[in-house]
Amino acid sequence: MMQRHSRKRQLLLERDDELGAVDDALARLTGEYGRPRGGLLAFAGSAGLGKTTLLGEVRDRAVGRGCTVLSARGGDQEQQVAFHVARQLLQPRLAGRPEPEIRDTLGSWYGIVGPALGLCTAEGPAPDPQGLRDGLDWVLTHLAVQSAPLVLVLDDAHWADPQSLNWLVAFAPRADELALLVVVAYRPDELPPGAEAFRGLPGRAGHRPIDLEPLTAGAVGELVRDSVGAHADDAFCRECWAVTAGNPFEAVELSAKVRDRGMPPDETSTHLLRDLVAAVKGRGLITQLERLGPSTVRLAWACAVLGTETRPALAADVAGLGHEEAADCADRLRAARVLTGSQTLRFVHPLIATAVYRAIPDAVRVALHGQAAWAVIDAGQGPTAAARHLLETHPEGDPSVVHQLRAAARETLRAGAPEVARTLLARALREPPLPGQRAAVLYELGCSSQLLEPSTTVNHLRAALEEPIDDPALRDGILFRLSQSLAHSDRMAEAAEVVAHAARTATSARTRLRMQAEQFMWDAFRADEPDSPSRSRRLTRLADRLGGRDLTERYIIALRAWDATLRGEHTSTVLRHADRALHGGMPWADENRGFEVPVLAALSYVYADQPDRAEELFATGIADFERQGWRGAHLSFGYVMLGYVRYRGGRLPEAEELGRDGLRLAERVGRGTPVQWYAVTLLVEVLLARGRVEEATELAAEYAFHAPFPSAVTIPDAQAVHGELLLARERFKDAAAELASVGRRLDPRGMRNPSWCPWQLHLALAESHDAPDRAERSALDAVARARQFGAPSAIGQSLRVAAEVVGGDRGLDLFAEAVARLEVSPSRYELARALVAHGAALRRSGAPAEAADRLRRGLEEALRCGADGAADTARRELSLTAPPYPAGVPLRAAAAAGPQPADRPRTV
């Protein structure tokens, strides 16, 4: 005990500034300066400068102040073990409890973070990386609140696995808001290439890393005299400092060797010091190790292969030693200051572990990793623990290796680390698998790459189809994933052709129907479908004879409802098919189906003026996404679509908030993704509705919201919204050209419903300045199309635009009908616009009293909706009415209160 404290004191020499920073951070954490504040403390330094000892002192001082401490350490051999560091940090606080208690603690996050933390077996679809990080955030935040003040200590962060490292990098800035102190130590020159975000962590969190400096000659002298005696002369101590370059670890080890060998600490021994310090690391250490005998060397090699902390029995098995012989070897390694510990064996310093590992001959190292893999499996640690060793072995065509790698990949993928699963499956391919298994391995490899690189997934799945496949379910799965990956890569035409070809060549009626359903779905999203009317007729004939007995049939019926919406068939037809499709249920989070068809079914209700039913469906979908841990593109899409429902209902502040939430999540997935197009399109639409044209313009510029537009259909239509933006900026000719292009794209496909895409209405407004006759024809044609569809909101919006274009007494009649239609619709924003426009027209026609009534009602609706631009127009028009009405005439209480607080469900 005294020796350990003495060594610790020696290694903390000249660390007063660092310890002062620790004490200051702990004082802030424990509230000595006021409200408890967390933060980040980072120590950077090369190997041997005392980072581990310093972090041990941090732990001791934190415990002394009543703090809860979470500790972890990166390992050179564990960098490919996903969430290795996260498990060390969080698992001890949860493991060992009864499962019901763990479930109760983690709540809905149990199935998401439990597998990553080794608390439960993964079941069901894998969470996406964003969902898993959110879950880990929740767990750590929960611990920070329940166990405050909390100190998180991470040593050797440069060896942390990328999954844990990326999570901590993203979480660390939040430590300032919590009673959580994050303390990390790392070697700045050994950070892996993928840890660039970690390099910027201290600066972003508002702190700078504290660089550890080598010891001075005086400090090394003190350290030497503490070890060998006060009689060590100055020349000897100075030479110790020179040969160690002030490295504390090397100085301590050198002093111990001098003491153990009984060397006189004076000038007569200085010439021996350089050779002696060489034995502390590198080749000198290995030479010393070899003198201990081949069995001892083999045990040291086994420990180096197995990693940071190793059970003696496991090390003996890997080394091929009997347990008694291994115990004797371990004693010799402890005496030589190579290993420490008894229940678990670990190297005295990572420098020693690295030197021993690198000294293992290549062929022996490969063989030891192979032996370690099977020893780990025999010890019951499972395929994931064995997989990191199998990655280091040479391919030998061993089916059992392929089996273990595939099993480990499944566990890792379901735990939320697809990049690691991809590495394991790529290695399984190189083994290689048996010919009959190759297609399955390629399919699994494609699935693991889908979230990371859809284009790479396409290559793997196409290769799988080239292999002999006996299992029809496997072939169907490959075809579905291939079409899905092509679609997510904005290659809609290829996606549709893949399943179309599969439908033509299918030998089973149910397989043919499934592939037809997939083809109809991707065709529905294609912006360049060559023969949409023909596809629509085929879909109608097929859907009308299906009863909805299974999910495939219900998908086809739902696609029929969506097709009827796009083509502007009457709402009764749309709702009949939508209700049929949803009778029996339609899952949103089925990884073998996708979420596109449930989205289209819900949108059918939106355009048919049943937003409550649509909102109920989207809330269900969002809850399903959250439950599965799909908090990236899926959740982003759910927020955006729910925002669109609220935009259509005139709840503009809520729509904007949901749109911004969706865009934030989309940016976590990556720029330029389909879901980002949806989010930006919605936000531009909502900002225009709120009268914030400049803000919409800036957003469009920031996200390159212009041609070329995606080849997939977006909702709302991106090109049409861009035309609307040009119109709002009074670029009438550019707007007319853009909107006419939308018409040339949609009309030949039979997509004629102005409720879904009101391009004709905006085109009429753009052309009314230079071609009023053509504008009137466009507007009235849109009215006719809206009447055919039958939704009051679509009819009212079309009538309002037609009234603005036509003008005169005829326009007043159209305005009156527009208001009447919109008053029985759920679209309060369109009602506000119609009331204000009608009031303005009445004022210009010389009917101030009627105008004032309409304008005041329009102002009330605009304020209730958050349509600031329409409200400003109403106020301006009211100021022009004669006789003047006093500004103090009260409006209704709802309008006076302004926009109401958002009341979105808790799940959102």
Side-chain angles (χ1 to χ4, degrees):
M1 177 70 74
M2 291 295 295
Q3 250 187 348
R4 187 165 69 249
H5 284 301
S6 173
R7 175 183 170 86
K8 181 177 177 182
R9 189 189 71 79
Q10 292 169 348
L11 291 176
L12 288 173
L13 286 172
E14 297 189 335
R15 297 292 181 244
D16 293 342
D17 290 344
E18 290 82 354
L19 293 173
V22 169
D23 288 337
D24 182 66
L26 289 173
R28 293 180 185 279
L29 180 69
T30 53
E32 289 186 21
Y33 301 146
R35 184 174 69 86
R37 295 293 301 270
L40 174 75
L41 199 57
F43 297 103
S46 56
L49 288 183
K51 299 182 295 297
T52 298
T53 303
L54 185 60
L55 263 56
E57 183 68 11
V58 170
R59 286 191 288 270
D60 290 346
R61 295 190 181 197
V63 170
R65 289 174 177 264
C67 299
T68 304
V69 178
L70 309 179
S71 293
R73 185 174 193 172
D76 191 15
Q77 298 302 308
E78 289 84 5
Q79 292 181 75
Q80 296 196 60
V81 180
F83 303 107
H84 175 68
V85 163
R87 286 190 184 197
Q88 291 181 71
L89 290 170
L90 302 177
Q91 191 187 65
R93 305 294 302 181
L94 299 166
R97 305 183 190 180
E99 184 185 0
E101 185 179 338
I102 298 176
R103 283 183 177 274
D104 184 60
T105 299
L106 297 180
S108 61
W109 293 108
Y110 176 79
I112 298 171
V113 302
L117 297 179
L119 299 172
C120 65
T121 302
E123 297 178 358
D128 61 32
Q130 292 79 19
L132 182 54
R133 287 188 198 176
D134 288 348
L136 293 173
D137 284 355
W138 184 89
V139 174
L140 186 52
T141 301
H142 176 78
L143 288 174
V145 172
Q146 297 296 320
S147 305
L150 184 68
V151 178
L152 185 155
V153 179
L154 173 59
D155 196 6
D156 288 336
H158 52 282
W159 283 335
D161 60 277
Q163 295 75 29
S164 300
L165 195 60
N166 292 336
W167 162 57
L168 287 172
V169 165
F171 185 88
R174 297 175 54 186
D176 285 337
E177 308 162 10
L178 302 166
L180 168 64
L181 176 63
V182 178
V183 186
V184 298
Y186 62 94
R187 303 177 193 172
D189 53 340
E190 294 187 35
L191 282 177
E196 289 305 314
F198 186 71
R199 294 182 188 274
L201 175 61
R204 188 172 71 247
H207 308 277
R208 300 306 309 165
I210 299 173
D211 293 319
L212 300 186
E213 299 294 337
L215 299 181
T216 63
V220 171
E222 183 179 346
L223 187 153
V224 170
R225 290 186 173 102
D226 279 350
S227 178
V228 304
H231 60 288
D233 67 21
D234 291 343
F236 183 86
C237 292
R238 187 165 189 83
E239 185 63 15
C240 288
W241 170 74
V243 298
T244 61
N247 185 290
F249 166 72
E250 294 181 21
V252 168
E253 292 299 311
L254 176 62
S255 301
K257 291 184 182 301
V258 169
R259 182 189 64 239
D260 294 345
R261 296 190 180 195
M263 293 171 52
D266 55 32
E267 242 181 308
T268 62
S269 302
T270 55
H271 65 286
L272 302 175
L273 294 178
R274 193 166 298 277
D275 290 338
L276 204 57
V277 80
V280 172
K281 60 180 182 178
R283 186 61 223 169
L285 171 65
I286 301 307
T287 301
Q288 178 195 4
L289 180 62
E290 289 170 350
R291 295 193 184 110
L292 301 178
S295 296
T296 306
V297 170
R298 197 166 181 84
L299 183 67
W301 287 352
C303 291
V305 164
L306 285 167
T308 48
E309 301 216 356
T310 304
R311 289 188 297 107
L314 189 61
D317 290 345
V318 174
L321 302 173
H323 288 189
E324 288 188 11
E325 183 181 10
D328 292 340
C329 294
D331 288 340
R332 287 192 286 273
L333 289 168
R334 279 189 284 264
R337 301 173 63 82
V338 173
L339 291 182
T340 185
S342 55
Q343 298 298 317
T344 60
L345 301 176
R346 57 189 181 278
F347 287 94
V348 168
H349 194 278
L351 277 172
I352 298 176
T354 301
V356 171
Y357 185 79
R358 291 177 179 174
I360 305 173
D362 291 346
V364 177
R365 184 167 61 247
V366 169
L368 285 173
H369 275 295
Q371 179 70 17
W374 300 114
V376 163
I377 290 170
D378 292 342
Q381 296 182 26
T384 299
R388 73 174 180 89
H389 297 293
L390 293 175
L391 288 174
E392 302 297 331
T393 61
H394 295 318
E396 294 180 346
D398 186 344
S400 60
V401 170
V402 175
H403 174 76
Q404 294 297 334
L405 288 169
R406 291 177 68 187
R410 284 193 293 272
E411 290 182 2
T412 305
L413 183 62
R414 288 174 181 163
E419 60 275 39
V420 177
R422 181 174 60 176
T423 299
L424 297 174
L425 290 165
R427 171 62 183 81
L429 270 182
R430 293 195 300 273
E431 184 62 20
L434 296 172
Q437 295 180 343
R438 185 172 174 81
V441 176
L442 283 164
Y443 169 62
E444 292 165 9
L445 180 56
C447 292
S448 69
S449 302
Q450 191 166 21
L451 285 174
L452 306 170
E453 297 178 4
S455 59
T456 302
T457 295
V458 169
N459 297 334
H460 293 316
L461 296 176
R462 288 197 188 281
L465 291 173
E466 298 294 324
E467 300 291 330
I469 302 174
D470 296 329
D471 183 0
L474 174 60
R475 178 173 290 276
D476 292 350
I478 294 171
L479 290 166
F480 167 71
R481 291 282 184 173
L482 176 57
S483 66
Q484 190 180 56
S485 298
L486 287 165
H488 293 173
S489 302
D490 204 23
R491 297 157 66 180
M492 287 290 172
E494 293 178 69
E497 179 52 35
V498 164
V499 286
H501 180 268
R504 291 192 297 268
T505 58
T507 57
S508 157
R510 300 312 295 175
T511 298
R512 183 181 303 110
L513 191 66
R514 167 75 191 273
M515 294 305 163
Q516 286 177 318
E518 299 298 331
Q519 181 189 358
F520 284 133
M521 179 180 71
W522 298 130
D523 280 338
F525 279 98
R526 285 180 64 181
D528 59 348
E529 186 185 7
D531 190 6
S532 181
S534 173
R535 186 262 305 163
S536 183
R537 289 191 294 272
R538 294 196 309 274
L539 176 58
T540 298
R541 289 194 299 269
L542 180 58
D544 285 348
R545 70 170 188 260
L546 296 177
R549 61 177 176 165
D550 63 15
L551 196 55
T552 296
E553 292 191 3
R554 294 198 294 275
Y555 267 40
I556 291 173
I557 295 168
L559 289 165
R560 170 70 179 101
W562 177 245
D563 188 66
T565 300
L566 295 179
R567 306 180 76 78
E569 297 181 43
H570 197 269
T571 53
S572 59
T573 301
V574 171
L575 294 173
R576 177 166 58 87
H577 288 300
D579 289 343
R580 287 178 61 214
L582 294 176
H583 183 72
M586 189 172 289
W588 287 70
D590 185 339
E591 63 179 344
N592 294 316
R593 289 281 182 172
F595 63 94
E596 290 84 357
V597 173
V599 165
L600 297 181
L603 287 171
S604 299
Y605 288 99
V606 174
Y607 296 115
D609 278 355
Q610 292 201 14
D612 291 344
R613 177 61 171 141
E615 178 140 347
E616 173 190 337
L617 292 170
F618 279 118
T620 299
I622 288 170
D624 284 351
F625 295 156
E626 290 179 326
R627 189 161 42 249
Q628 296 294 349
W630 294 358
R631 301 177 67 87
H634 292 80
L635 190 59
S636 171
F637 196 85
Y639 281 178
V640 170
M641 288 295 95
L642 184 56
Y644 184 60
V645 175
R646 294 190 178 175
Y647 158 75
R648 297 273 306 185
R651 298 157 69 179
L652 301 184
E654 299 171 43
E656 181 182 347
E657 182 183 358
L658 284 163
R660 293 195 184 281
D661 286 347
L663 181 57
R664 174 180 52 80
L665 291 172
E667 288 187 317
R668 293 170 62 180
V669 178
R671 286 219 164 199
T673 55
V675 71
Q676 188 187 73
W677 273 99
Y678 275 82
V680 173
T681 302
L682 171 68
L683 273 175
V684 170
E685 183 89 290
V686 171
L687 291 171
L688 292 177
R690 303 199 70 184
R692 288 147 55 184
V693 177
E694 287 305 316
E695 193 173 339
T697 302
E698 292 170 3
L699 181 74
E702 180 181 355
Y703 289 95
F705 183 67
H706 52 65
F709 296 99
S711 64
V713 170
T714 58
I715 301 166
D717 186 85
Q719 187 178 12
V721 172
H722 186 252
E724 187 181 353
L725 174 61
L726 294 172
L727 178 63
R729 296 173 61 193
E730 300 184 355
R731 293 172 53 182
F732 301 119
K733 289 186 178 180
D734 293 338
E738 188 81 283
L739 293 161
S741 175
V742 176
R744 289 192 297 272
R745 172 166 54 86
L746 298 182
D747 253 15
R749 299 182 60 193
M751 296 180 173
R752 303 169 58 86
N753 188 351
S755 180
W756 170 64
C757 183
W759 66 268
Q760 272 186 305
L761 302 177
H762 300 308
L763 177 61
L765 292 171
E767 291 183 332
S768 63
H769 301 272
D770 299 322
D773 292 340
R774 188 163 67 241
E776 182 175 328
R777 287 195 299 273
S778 293
L780 293 177
D781 185 46
V783 171
R785 295 181 180 190
R787 291 189 192 279
Q788 178 184 340
F789 183 57
S793 63
I795 298 171
Q797 181 186 13
S798 300
L799 287 167
R800 189 259 305 164
V801 173
E804 292 184 24
V805 172
V806 170
D809 291 342
R810 217 168 129 219
L812 289 174
D813 292 340
L814 292 170
F815 272 130
E817 186 183 355
V819 170
R821 293 281 189 171
L822 290 166
E823 283 179 328
V824 296
S825 84
S827 183
R828 312 317 294 173
Y829 164 62
E830 284 299 331
L831 174 60
R833 294 188 72 181
L835 285 165
V836 172
H838 192 195
L842 286 168
R843 180 191 63 76
R844 291 192 297 271
S845 70
E850 294 176 63
D853 177 67
R854 289 291 190 185
L855 290 168
R856 291 185 186 284
R857 286 189 57 205
L859 178 58
E860 291 177 9
E861 290 291 349
L863 291 172
R864 185 178 291 114
C865 292
D868 304 329
D872 290 343
T873 302
R875 292 189 186 97
R876 185 168 58 253
E877 289 291 335
L878 275 169
S879 70
L880 298 174
T881 56
Y885 287 81
V889 173
L891 300 176
R892 296 177 186 176
Q900 299 303 300
D903 58 349
R904 38 197 273 218
R906 291 290 296 174
T907 57
V908 180

